[in-house]
Amino acid sequence: MIKKIRDICILTDVDRTLYTKETGIPQRNIEAIERFKEKGGKFGIATGRELESAKPIFDSVKVNSPCILCNGGAIYDTEKNIYLNQKYLPTMYKKYLQHIYNKYDYITAVTITEEGRHCLQDGKNRFEKLNYPAVPVKYDPDNLPDKIYKILFSVPEEKCSEILADFQSLGFSGVHFSSSDLMYIDMLPENVNKGTELAEFSKLMNIPMENIITIGDYYNDIEMLSAVPVSACVEGSPKELMDICKIHVGKMENGAIADLIEYLEKNYEE
């Protein structure tokens, strides 16, 4: 049970919660995180990003806790630089990917592996407006890697909900689909999400779930927000998240994480 700041571990979503490409991490957040850590608190991230794209965030806020990556696909110890837990898509994903590519000739797929992000290109005129770089690789169904955390599909924003519903209706075994943004859909291993990995994190770190506080902003955060007694969401989050979370903080660009830490300081100050 939480009694003081030093008992608390914060795990935050990254994009549009802690950071955006346009604004970076608000200085107010950085100062509050440092203050929180000085008081003994643990601070980490729970993100859809893989290690390569999460590392700059590690460095910016100097996390002092292992972190959840790939929407639950891995737990990474940033101090020892080792994976503590990893989960992969079943190899059947290759058939599923081919089915999706055959049906949608404008979708771009990016494989997320331990080695990084690879954009699968097959010469078709696909929707390729990605918000982050990925190494282009020729799409070869016979030579796809076996160990993949997830596949990220980039889709037209106006069709995202429709395509997600279609993906979910396909009945593919061993996987599930979720949306991490208005133009991204993830294919993840079945029963793998930020919430299920949070339970693994709790066991590995010997931190009671009630001492972990999570914060997020979008549908792929729902499981981790509902997994703990105290969670927070930023201003503008979907209503489903607002209903789950005990704490509602301000806009990301104004320092949503600082708002959360100030709430904790008020209620659990040394």
Side-chain angles (χ1 to χ4, degrees):
M1 179 181 295
I2 297 173
K3 293 183 179 179
K4 296 183 180 295
I5 292 288
R6 64 172 179 263
D7 299 322
I8 299 173
C9 176
I10 296 176
L11 290 180
T12 177
D13 173 54
V14 172
D15 296 282
R16 300 171 311 281
T17 301
L18 171 68
Y19 157 98
T20 66
K21 183 178 180 181
E22 293 74 24
T23 63
I25 302 174
Q27 183 61 30
R28 182 167 169 253
N29 279 352
I30 293 173
E31 292 171 0
I33 292 166
E34 280 304 306
R35 193 169 67 244
F36 175 76
K37 292 187 298 181
E38 287 172 1
K39 294 175 181 178
K42 295 292 185 182
F43 188 87
I45 65 174
T47 178
R49 293 169 175 243
E50 84 296 341
L51 180 59
E52 180 183 2
S53 61
K55 274 185 174 180
I57 307 300
F58 296 164
D59 295 339
S60 296
V61 298
K62 298 180 177 62
V63 298
N64 63 348
S65 163
C67 299
I68 296 174
L69 307 178
C70 302
N71 274 337
I75 298 175
Y76 188 78
D77 188 321
T78 59
E79 181 179 344
K80 297 179 181 178
N81 294 317
I82 58 171
Y83 286 95
L84 304 178
N85 197 7
Q86 293 170 286
K87 296 181 174 70
Y88 304 105
L89 284 169
T91 56
M92 294 179 293
Y93 87 83
K94 300 174 186 181
K95 292 182 179 179
Y96 304 157
L97 176 61
Q98 185 64 63
H99 178 92
I100 290 170
Y101 258 8
N102 288 341
K103 186 170 184 178
Y104 293 97
D105 64 359
Y106 52 84
I107 286 178
T108 296
V110 177
T111 59
I112 309 297
T113 69
E114 189 172 331
E115 288 72 37
R117 302 167 297 204
H118 297 86
C119 181
L120 304 178
Q121 300 180 336
D122 64 355
K124 292 184 179 180
N125 183 23
R126 299 195 181 280
F127 187 84
E128 295 180 352
K129 280 191 175 181
L130 299 177
N131 283 341
Y132 57 80
V135 178
V137 174
K138 180 176 174 55
Y139 173 56
D140 181 355
D142 297 323
N143 288 293
L144 290 168
D146 289 333
K147 291 185 176 182
I148 287 185
Y149 296 123
K150 69 174 186 175
I151 296 178
L152 177 67
F153 294 99
S154 177
V155 305
E157 184 173 326
E158 68 276 8
K159 292 187 177 183
C160 186
S161 296
E162 173 190 336
I163 294 172
L164 175 60
D166 182 50
F167 283 6
Q168 291 172 335
S169 73
L170 292 172
F172 292 153
S173 63
V175 304
H176 74 102
F177 295 92
S178 69
S179 178
S180 56
D181 200 309
L182 292 175
M183 57 184 286
Y184 295 130
I185 297 173
D186 288 342
M187 179 197 291
L188 291 158
E190 188 174 22
N191 298 321
V192 169
N193 54 59
K194 291 183 183 181
T196 57
E197 203 66 0
L198 190 61
E200 297 281 348
F201 174 93
S202 174
K203 293 176 184 176
L204 285 169
M205 302 308 299
N206 197 28
I207 299 175
M209 290 287 277
E210 58 265 30
N211 285 27
I212 301 172
I213 294 176
T214 59
I215 178 170
D217 76 299
Y218 206 63
Y219 292 109
N220 64 318
D221 299 319
I222 285 179
E223 290 87 357
M224 76 166 184
L225 295 176
S226 58
V228 294
V230 180
S231 59
C233 59
V234 303
E235 183 176 330
S237 298
K239 183 179 183 302
E240 293 91 329
L241 274 69
M242 303 288 282
D243 291 343
I244 289 169
C245 295
K246 177 180 179 180
I247 305 168
H248 297 169
V249 295
K251 295 180 179 179
M252 173 269 147
E253 56 267 29
N254 293 338
I257 302 300
D259 288 346
L260 171 60
I261 290 172
E262 288 174 5
Y263 172 92
L264 299 176
E265 288 172 331
K266 180 180 178 180
N267 288 276
Y268 304 105
E269 188 59 89
E270 298 296 334

